[in-house]
Amino acid sequence: MFKKTVNELFRCKGSRLFVILMSVNYAHSCVMPALNGGFVDFLVTNRDPSRVVWFAAFVASIGISASFMSYAMGVNVSRVILEMTTRLMGATCESFERGPLEKGEQADSSYTTQRVYADSNAVSSFVVNNFLTIGLNIVLIVFIFIILFSINPVFLALSTCSLGAYFILFRVLKKPLYNSSLANKEGLSKLFASVSGELSQLFDIKCDGAYDQSARTLKGIFEGYYPIYMKASRVSNLATSSDGLISSVFRGALLVISGMEILSGRMSIGEFTMVNSYYSMAFGCFKYYLNYFKSYQDARASFDRLEALSEGAEDRGTISVGHVESISLSNIAYRYAEKSYLYRDLSVEVERGKPMPLPGRTDAAKARF
């Protein structure tokens, strides 16, 4: 999934600027906790007000610049997601249109439209928001672990244990998240198609006065979708609640250990501020991977649905045809958009090398077989 969609991403305008802004924002994230912790210790040892003001102004300027860059990145991300969604929709529609005619005739246009848009947007948003972040967070975790180890190896061991707890949670929820997400997307597409179908028959409903029937139809569709939606919600909230439980347990352990270290004089208040900030960042990274894992299952379900629409697309390559002596057509009929037939029960045989008259203007597109 990543390979195909990332290739589309780098064809979008502004994608390289997005990479630069994201990298700079992560650099800011790495530096700020160390600066804040250093500032606390600086206040304890320094008695020169002017130096305090300059240090505070320096820290604030970095934070302000990060805010401006975060705004620019957010605007850029919105533009890239929209363009990438449009590209995926175009590619999927083209593949669907090149597929078997029977498949297109049997498809509900409202259902297919909602499915193509929703799934294209889900895949685009997931890739744009994660293709770079997933690697940067790994670098950030390594950096945080080095900082924590340099202050006290116990903090590194505590962080490693919490990471293991998250990994176990990932493994347990992998299959339920994917299955519930796939079922939820399918149910939502059918619900959308049902509403669209009722609105498209507004004239018939008014003529027949079938308002109650329309309401009963939608209620039946909703009642079928409701348990699917609630199952997906329960699985998603289980992951979120488990994250909160793990975070609370290990944060409590951090406070106990840090408190003991400060009381014994082995840790300063500034170091505690730094450790607490980096520990929070580490949990932010772990939580990111939990949300990444959840959104990956959701995006994979969307990607699989897009691929299913593209299955059976006709090959546009050149097909060589052998020696043909004649072509016969029997009982052919054609009409356009439910209008009167242009011709019906048409049968014709064309033989190789034999002239065949075609009626029409002399400047019309006519040829001899």
Side-chain angles (χ1 to χ4, degrees), residues 109-144:
S109 59
S110 298
Y111 164 83
T112 306
T113 300
Q114 193 276 342
R115 177 172 171 174
V116 170
Y117 170 74
D119 291 337
S120 296
N121 184 259
V123 173
S124 300
S125 299
F126 172 77
V127 171
V128 171
N129 290 322
N130 292 285
F131 89 102
L132 187 62
T133 310
I134 187 173
L136 290 175
N137 267 322
I138 292 176
V139 175
L140 184 57
I141 289 174
V142 172
F143 174 77
I144 291 172

Side-chain angles (χ1 to χ4, degrees), residues 135-208:
L136 290 175
N137 267 322
I138 292 176
V139 175
L140 184 57
I141 289 174
V142 172
F143 174 77
I144 291 172
F145 279 8
I146 293 173
I147 296 294
L148 294 177
F149 179 79
S150 66
I151 297 175
N152 193 325
V154 175
F155 297 137
L156 175 61
L158 196 62
S159 301
T160 305
C161 291
S162 62
L163 179 59
Y166 275 101
F167 179 76
I168 294 172
L169 184 62
F170 297 160
R171 296 292 299 176
V172 171
L173 294 177
K174 178 180 179 180
K175 190 172 181 180
L177 281 170
Y178 175 80
N179 291 337
S180 61
S181 179
L182 185 62
N184 183 53
K185 289 177 179 294
E186 188 66 18
L188 184 60
S189 294
K190 291 179 179 178
L191 179 63
F192 178 89
S194 176
V195 174
S196 178
E198 292 297 321
L199 294 177
S200 67
Q201 299 176 39
L202 185 60
F203 180 78
D204 294 334
I205 291 173
K206 283 182 173 292
C207 289
D208 297 338

Side-chain angles (χ1 to χ4, degrees), residues 27-342:
H28 277 129
S29 299
C30 292
V31 171
M32 285 305 296
L35 288 175
N36 289 330
F39 182 68
V40 172
D41 283 340
F42 178 76
L43 290 176
V44 174
T45 59
N46 182 72
R47 293 294 180 270
D48 184 353
S50 62
R51 295 181 65 186
V52 172
V53 171
W54 280 109
F55 199 150
F58 174 70
V59 174
S61 65
I62 293 179
I64 292 171
S65 65
S67 299
F68 280 111
M69 296 196 70
S70 178
Y71 167 78
M73 186 182 71
V75 173
N76 193 262
V77 165
S78 299
R79 180 174 61 189
V80 171
I81 288 177
L82 177 60
E83 183 176 348
M84 189 172 173
T85 298
T86 305
R87 286 179 178 275
L88 286 179
M89 289 175 62
T92 303
C93 289
E94 184 179 359
S95 297
F96 184 72
E97 291 164 355
R98 295 205 313 266
L101 179 60
E102 296 80 5
K103 184 178 179 180
E105 289 178 331
Q106 295 170 2
D108 182 283
S109 59
S110 298
Y111 164 83
T112 306
T113 300
Q114 193 276 342
R115 177 172 171 174
V116 170
Y117 170 74
D119 291 337
S120 296
N121 184 259
V123 173
S124 300
S125 299
F126 172 77
V127 171
V128 171
N129 290 322
N130 292 285
F131 89 102
L132 187 62
T133 310
I134 187 173
L136 290 175
N137 267 322
I138 292 176
V139 175
L140 184 57
I141 289 174
V142 172
F143 174 77
I144 291 172
F145 279 8
I146 293 173
I147 296 294
L148 294 177
F149 179 79
S150 66
I151 297 175
N152 193 325
V154 175
F155 297 137
L156 175 61
L158 196 62
S159 301
T160 305
C161 291
S162 62
L163 179 59
Y166 275 101
F167 179 76
I168 294 172
L169 184 62
F170 297 160
R171 296 292 299 176
V172 171
L173 294 177
K174 178 180 179 180
K175 190 172 181 180
L177 281 170
Y178 175 80
N179 291 337
S180 61
S181 179
L182 185 62
N184 183 53
K185 289 177 179 294
E186 188 66 18
L188 184 60
S189 294
K190 291 179 179 178
L191 179 63
F192 178 89
S194 176
V195 174
S196 178
E198 292 297 321
L199 294 177
S200 67
Q201 299 176 39
L202 185 60
F203 180 78
D204 294 334
I205 291 173
K206 283 182 173 292
C207 289
D208 297 338
Y211 306 110
D212 292 340
Q213 178 61 38
S214 177
R216 285 195 297 269
T217 299
L218 293 178
K219 182 179 179 182
I221 295 294
F222 170 77
E223 289 176 349
Y225 173 62
Y226 178 76
I228 297 174
Y229 171 79
M230 291 306 300
K231 181 179 179 180
S233 177
R234 283 192 292 270
V235 174
S236 178
N237 283 285
L238 175 61
T240 303
S241 301
S242 300
D243 162 59
L245 177 62
I246 295 172
S247 176
S248 298
V249 170
F250 283 95
R251 186 172 293 279
L254 169 70
L255 293 176
V256 170
I257 296 172
S258 298
M260 294 300 179
E261 291 293 297
I262 291 174
L263 291 175
S264 65
R266 291 190 295 267
M267 178 184 289
S268 68
I269 300 297
E271 287 177 328
F272 169 73
T273 302
M274 189 185 306
V275 167
N276 190 50
S277 297
Y278 278 121
Y279 201 69
S280 298
M281 287 178 63
F283 268 102
C285 291
F286 300 158
K287 188 170 185 176
Y288 160 78
Y289 282 108
L290 176 63
N291 291 327
Y292 166 84
F293 192 74
K294 288 168 56 181
S295 58
Y296 174 76
Q297 303 307 321
D298 182 76
R300 189 162 71 94
S302 291
F303 185 79
D304 290 345
R305 285 173 19 119
L306 289 175
E307 289 289 286
L309 286 176
S310 302
E311 287 178 358
E314 297 176 359
D315 184 7
R316 281 189 162 182
T318 302
I319 300 176
S320 299
V321 180
H323 187 72
V324 177
E325 287 295 333
S326 65
I327 296 176
S328 297
L329 304 176
S330 300
N331 301 321
I332 303 299
Y334 180 78
R335 64 177 177 175
Y336 178 74
E338 304 299 325
K339 297 183 182 297
S340 300
Y341 280 95
L342 296 178

Side-chain angles (χ1 to χ4, degrees), residues 338-363:
E338 304 299 325
K339 297 183 182 297
S340 300
Y341 280 95
L342 296 178
Y343 49 81
R344 301 181 67 174
D345 300 324
L346 173 65
S347 298
V348 63
E349 181 174 355
V350 182
E351 297 182 8
R352 183 179 181 87
K354 183 177 180 181
M356 180 177 181
L358 296 176
R361 303 191 313 271
T362 54
D363 60 342

